[in-house]
């Protein structure tokens, strides 16, 4: 299988059509951006670390009953996925207060959020991904009420499964963002789950192991991404 026509070029990934009906190829590029694209760079090998971690998580989630768009990796940068009708929602699960929830609301950074907080943003760069509530989501007909319940349940399942996996490697899953799509009536987890879309803290040192290293220049991004990709992909052996 190979890439045919470019369908979408996002900030860090490109999506291509293929000759096979119902299948697309996602290319994880070496581009990295932050602050709505206000900060950007190209970091050698970044794409393959994110692709590798995403593929690893998708396989692990599938084995544990979560439906994802993942089929296989073609090479370290290219993932074959199910073609979905993507839903323009960014579903964020937060276990610990950090990032925008601390900037925008009176939470203290590091506060445990138990039960975890689900926050859903409208995926729209021009509007700076505004936070939605259930009523707005339904009024905009972005999903049906039943789909919204399903999406929240899957988001919490993903949180539970990834939290356990990462804890085995001494990593705290602070928060993460996932996206969903539908094929017919079935909802699938799409997009990616990588260091770009999660906030990870080392349990011992509290050090950031994710895109915050790039956002706030906390160290060498690629050294951290390389190390964390290795830690994550060996974590399953400890299960
Ligand atoms: P925050 O709202 O605190 O900026 O982000 C919460 C979590 O969702 C973080 O793990 C962050 O990386 C992820 N996230 C939020 N918005 C986006 C986005 O537009 N793209 C990606 N890749 N991740 C996001």
């Amino acid at each position: 299988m190979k890439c045919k026509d470019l369908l979408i070029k996002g900030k860090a990934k490109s999506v291509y059509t293929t000759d096979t009906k119902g299948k697309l190829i996602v290319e994880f590029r070496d581009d990295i951006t932050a602050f709505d694209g206000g900060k950007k760079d190209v970091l050698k090998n970044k794409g393959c670390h994110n692709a590798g971690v995403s593929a690893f998580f998708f396989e692990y989630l599938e084995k544990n009953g979560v439906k994802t768009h993942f089929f296989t990796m073609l090479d370290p940068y290219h993932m074959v996925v199910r073609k979905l009708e993507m839903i323009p929602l960014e579903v964020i699960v937060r276990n610990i207060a950090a990032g925008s929830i601390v900037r925008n609301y009176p939470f203290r950074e590091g506060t445990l959020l138990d039960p975890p907080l689900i926050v859903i943003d409208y995926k729209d760069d021009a509007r700076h991904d505004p936070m939605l509530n259930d009523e707005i989501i339904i009024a905009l007909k972005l999903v049906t009420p039943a789909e919204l319940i399903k999406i929240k349940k899957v988001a919490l399942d993903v949180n539970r499964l990834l939290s356990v996996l990462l804890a085995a490697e001494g990593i705290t899953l602070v928060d993460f963002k996932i996206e969903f799509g539908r094929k017919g009536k079935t909802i699938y987890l799409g997009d990616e789950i990588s260091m770009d879309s999660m906030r990870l803290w080392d349990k011992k040192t509290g050090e950031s192991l994710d895109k915050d290293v790039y956002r706030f220049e906390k160290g060498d991004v690629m050294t951290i991404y390389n190390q964390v990709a290795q830690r994550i992909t060996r974590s399953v052996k400890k299960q």
Side-chain angles (χ1 to χ4, degrees):
M1 187 183 287
K2 56 182 195 307
C3 297
K4 213 172 140 195
D5 300 316
L6 178 66
L7 202 58
I8 307 158
K9 185 167 182 185
K11 292 196 285 279
K13 299 192 295 300
S14 301
V15 181
Y16 293 88
T17 59
T18 69
D19 282 328
T20 311
K21 195 168 171 278
K23 289 190 178 177
L24 299 174
I25 293 173
V26 179
E27 178 191 17
F28 287 71
R29 304 195 315 269
D30 284 341
D31 299 298
I32 187 164
T33 71
F35 309 119
D36 280 341
K39 177 173 161 86
K40 50 180 137 179
D41 283 284
V42 179
L43 302 174
K44 197 168 178 302
N45 295 333
K46 181 244 170 193
C48 72
H49 289 314
N50 277 7
V53 165
S54 263
F56 174 81
F57 281 149
F58 284 140
E59 280 186 330
Y60 166 74
L61 292 170
E62 283 279 353
K63 275 189 203 134
N64 286 281
V66 177
K67 287 192 169 73
T68 81
H69 68 161
F70 178 76
F71 285 122
T72 188
M73 292 303 293
L74 271 187
D75 62 52
Y77 282 88
H78 294 88
M79 181 183 286
V80 183
V81 301
R82 186 185 303 273
K83 185 176 192 322
L84 300 176
E85 176 202 341
M86 289 305 289
I87 300 167
L89 295 177
E90 298 197 339
V91 181
I92 297 163
V93 183
R94 299 177 182 275
N95 295 304
I96 293 179
S100 67
I101 202 90
V102 171
R103 281 199 306 279
N104 300 330
Y105 299 89
F107 286 106
R108 277 241 309 275
E109 177 162 278
T111 305
L112 185 67
L113 302 168
D114 185 18
L117 211 57
I118 301 181
V119 173
I120 305 186
D121 292 349
Y122 183 50
K123 188 178 165 73
D124 184 339
D125 280 344
R127 292 187 165 85
H128 308 290
D129 301 341
M131 190 190 287
L132 299 170
N133 64 22
D134 290 4
E135 285 75 11
I136 298 176
I137 293 170
I138 300 301
L140 286 172
K141 297 189 168 51
L142 298 173
V143 290
T144 65
E147 285 176 334
L148 185 55
I149 291 170
K150 172 79 181 170
I151 283 171
K152 288 185 181 179
K153 185 196 170 295
V154 176
L156 291 177
D157 287 346
V158 170
N159 184 47
R160 187 174 37 78
L161 289 161
L162 296 191
S163 293
V164 170
L165 188 76
L166 291 163
E169 251 324 301
I171 299 170
T172 301
L173 180 58
V174 175
D175 57 39
F176 62 94
K177 184 265 306 178
I178 48 180
E179 296 180 27
F180 293 88
R182 51 172 97 72
K183 168 89 185 153
K185 290 200 165 148
T186 308
I187 297 277
Y188 290 87
L189 185 57
D191 194 52
E192 69 179 300
I193 311 179
S194 72
M195 287 74 82
D196 278 10
S197 57
M198 296 182 287
R199 194 168 268 121
L200 304 171
W201 291 349
D202 187 283
K203 276 191 193 296
K204 274 203 201 116
T205 64
E207 194 190 353
S208 287
L209 305 173
D210 57 68
K211 200 155 96 175
D212 275 353
V213 177
Y214 173 72
R215 288 188 187 100
F216 305 112
E217 300 180 4
K218 293 179 171 193
D220 183 65
V221 191
M222 286 322 299
T223 305
I224 302 279
Y225 272 34
N226 184 18
Q227 285 169 357
V228 80
Q230 286 186 33
R231 282 172 78 177
I232 289 172
T233 51
R234 75 180 179 212
S235 59
V236 81
K237 296 181 194 116
K238 295 189 180 172
Q239 293 290 298

